[in-house]
Amino acid sequence: MNARRLRKIALNTAGIAVFVVSAFPVFWMISTAFKPNQEIFSSTPHPVPFHPTLHHFDYVINGGIAGVPFWHYFVNSLAVALGTVVVSGLLALLAAVAVARFRFRFRTTFLVLLLVVQMVPAEALVIPMFVDLRHLGLLNSLVGLTAVYVGFALPFGTWMLRGFVAAVPKDLEDAAAIDGAGPIRIFFRILLPLVAPGLVATSIFSFITAWNELIFAYTFLKDQDKATLPIMLQFFFGRSGNDWGPIMAASTLLTLPVIAFFLLVQRRMVSGLVAGAVKG
């Protein structure tokens, strides 16, 4: 009994330690965002601001450094991220159904290629994709950038959703077909609710990928009015020094939509885990 209790205490302590180490950078970012410059550059660092201020947030939101309001970049990032989530989720789900439910030639090869393409470093694809987007007339376009992010999210989404689709008993679809349901009704009433947890998980991955990505956005977007939030964040880094207050304020604002999106869909993920349960 003592050994089990000690093991439980050790595991809980280790879990708390991991949480503290992981959460401390986020805490320091938020704390610094509210500190005045005197406290940020003080030789004695303080975890909590003594004289909290909203000056840095006001500076970022009103476009103090680039002359463009924060919300302009926010709308661009939101359009790209939501477009990536919707398009990649739909295509990945259709591809997962095809791979899990149908037998066709080179099916195994296709599945292996899904894994292989994820092993290629994204940075190695910058130049080829730059050339392709230029030939397609999608360079310096949010649509072209969204297409690139969709391409990155599709392999992971297809592979992950394939497992969810394969786990759905085929008997449920056969029973619905016997009752007169067509393919479209079976897809929306039977299959979609049962694979919803996987769809939510892939949407979170797609949203975070599109929301935080910098290299491709910085390379493909030239006009400032089409820039996304990660590009805006680079404006606060300069040769003469870094403006850490606005950097931390902008980083905090950039993090909030990701948290909000996760809180919005996490309930659907939990409810989807028990949706459509059947008795044996």
Side-chain angles (χ1 to χ4, degrees):
M1 184 66 180
N2 291 335
R4 291 182 59 184
R5 186 174 182 181
L6 290 175
R7 183 172 179 270
K8 184 177 181 180
I9 293 175
L11 291 176
N12 291 337
T13 303
I16 294 174
V18 171
F19 171 77
V20 171
V21 172
S22 302
F24 181 77
V26 179
F27 164 76
W28 194 263
M29 174 187 72
I30 298 174
S31 175
T32 305
F34 289 96
K35 292 179 181 178
N37 288 330
Q38 295 82 354
E39 295 185 19
I40 294 177
F41 296 101
S42 174
S43 57
T44 304
H46 303 285
V48 180
F50 289 159
H51 304 88
T53 177
L54 296 176
H55 170 73
H56 302 310
F57 288 96
D58 180 71
Y59 186 76
V60 171
I61 292 175
N62 293 323
I65 192 168
V68 180
F70 168 84
W71 302 112
H72 183 85
Y73 302 110
F74 177 84
V75 171
N76 290 342
S77 289
L78 189 63
V80 172
L82 292 182
T84 302
V85 169
V86 173
V87 177
S88 65
L90 177 61
L91 295 180
L93 180 57
L94 295 177
V97 172
V99 172
R101 285 289 187 258
F102 303 101
R103 304 292 177 180
F104 53 88
R105 194 176 183 183
F106 301 120
R107 175 175 172 271
T108 303
T109 304
F110 175 75
L111 292 175
V112 173
L113 287 177
L114 289 179
L115 295 177
V116 172
V117 296
Q118 297 183 71
M119 304 166 76
V120 180
E123 291 76 10
L125 303 176
V126 173
I127 296 178
M129 287 189 173
F130 182 92
V131 175
D132 290 340
L133 290 180
R134 185 175 60 184
H135 287 167
L136 294 173
L138 295 177
L139 198 62
N140 194 29
S141 166
L142 294 180
V143 175
L145 184 64
T146 303
V148 172
Y149 293 158
V150 169
F152 286 139
L154 264 179
F156 173 83
T158 303
W159 185 267
M160 186 170 184
L161 288 175
R162 171 187 170 272
F164 281 86
V165 175
V168 177
K170 188 69 166 59
D171 295 341
L172 292 177
E173 301 177 21
D174 295 338
I178 293 175
D179 291 339
I184 297 179
R185 187 175 182 182
I186 291 175
F187 179 83
F188 284 103
R189 298 294 298 272
I190 303 297
L191 191 61
L192 186 59
L194 294 177
V195 301
L199 197 59
V200 169
T202 55
S203 68
I204 293 174
F205 170 81
S206 302
F207 187 90
I208 294 176
T209 300
W211 187 263
N212 293 333
E213 202 282 324
L214 171 64
I215 296 178
F216 288 92
Y218 195 76
T219 304
F220 299 155
L221 300 178
K222 298 301 180 183
D223 294 342
Q224 185 174 330
D225 62 337
K226 298 179 180 179
T228 56
L229 286 175
I231 298 178
M232 180 211 69
L233 196 60
Q234 302 303 305
F235 297 155
F236 299 104
F237 294 89
R239 295 182 179 179
S240 58
N242 302 326
D243 206 349
W244 289 111
I247 288 174
M248 295 303 178
S251 300
T252 301
L253 294 174
L254 196 147
T255 304
L256 292 178
V258 178
I259 299 175
F261 181 78
F262 175 78
L263 294 177
L264 181 66
V265 300
Q266 62 92 19
R267 179 177 298 180
R268 187 67 186 89
M269 177 185 290
V270 174
S271 62
L273 291 174
V274 297
V278 295
K279 295 183 179 180

